Amino acid sequence: MAEVATDAGICHASYVTLKAGVPASPVVLQGCGPSTLAAPDGILQAASLTKPIIAFVALELVRAGKLDLRSPVSAYLPEGYIHRQRPFDGPSDLHVDRVLPATLANIPMASLLNHSSGLPNWSSDALAPTFTAGQRWQYSGEAYLLLQAIITAVTGQPIEATVSRVVFEPLGMRDSRMRLTDDIRARVVTGVDWLGRDKHFEFIEPNAAASMYTTAGDYAKFLAALASRRDLLALITADPIAVDRDLGLSWGYGWGIEQAEGGPYLWQWGNNPGYRAFAMLSVASGHGFILMTNSENGLKLAPSLAQSTVPATHGVFRFDMLG
């Protein structure tokens, strides 16, 4: 069992370690308030750990010849893109704007996956790139919602159906959903803020950037599958864009990439109100871990878990966007 530094401000956390791509049994840590009553198989929000799932689907479509990373977004959305300015307010919110095909023609597919599209993280106004695609890295939830629209257009299916068909069903991820559904509601562990107070934030519709509900055990199945796919690992790491050279960080197609001893390592953090998560996988060894917590203090557990499973000087934990 990995040695993990616990913290009194973290109410519920679960993690799974992988050795050579083989997941261990989930470990559950509980420590404060009513959430200590949560079941060991409690479901949590994956937050931005949703993005690698969506990237996996996109790359499978690339391998099937249905998407081309070099093509502009306009090739798949020739009529433009309807941008929702308040994507977390539910389907009844009508604040939208239209991104014209001429704008989409300047955004390559690849730039959506590696956060170099020039699109902001989120925009409550008209959506437009803030710099030329490919010029530099800028984390973008909007890019993944655009990717969701593309996948829907290419497959002719809602994103939930595609993710279930490509990821959840073949990998046996029975406790995973792209939104909060009635069949899992009773098992969802309530999120808490920095002070341990309940934080209620629900996704009632799928959002490719942040809406997945899952367990550490289920996500470990995804990591294990990825660890065995040398073709996808090579594609993910083929052409990264620099994020922070001093910390050894760049971004590939769907994952952050860290250059450190024993690496490269794929990584992604999750940050939703009341929840934090972190995943890391060594491309070389297949060792790694998935950590999911219901606390805004949850990432405090990640560095010690990393040292127990993929020991190295991990610059990623000094990255200023983690929190």
Side-chain angles (χ1 to χ4, degrees), residues 12-90:
H12 179 99
S14 56
Y15 68 86
V16 176
T17 59
L18 290 84
K19 185 173 183 180
V22 178
S25 297
V27 176
V28 178
L29 307 173
Q30 297 174 329
C32 70
S35 294
T36 56
L37 301 177
D41 62 347
I43 292 173
L44 299 100
Q45 290 185 18
S48 285
L49 265 64
T50 308
K51 293 183 176 76
I53 298 284
I54 299 300
F56 183 94
V57 172
L59 294 179
E60 288 286 61
L61 291 172
V62 169
R63 292 185 66 257
K66 297 180 179 180
L67 285 179
D68 186 338
L69 293 176
R70 298 166 296 181
S71 293
V73 170
S74 57
Y76 305 102
L77 299 175
E79 303 301 318
Y81 168 61
I82 302 302
H83 166 243
R84 294 179 57 192
Q85 298 173 0
R86 300 176 182 177
F88 307 116
D89 287 355

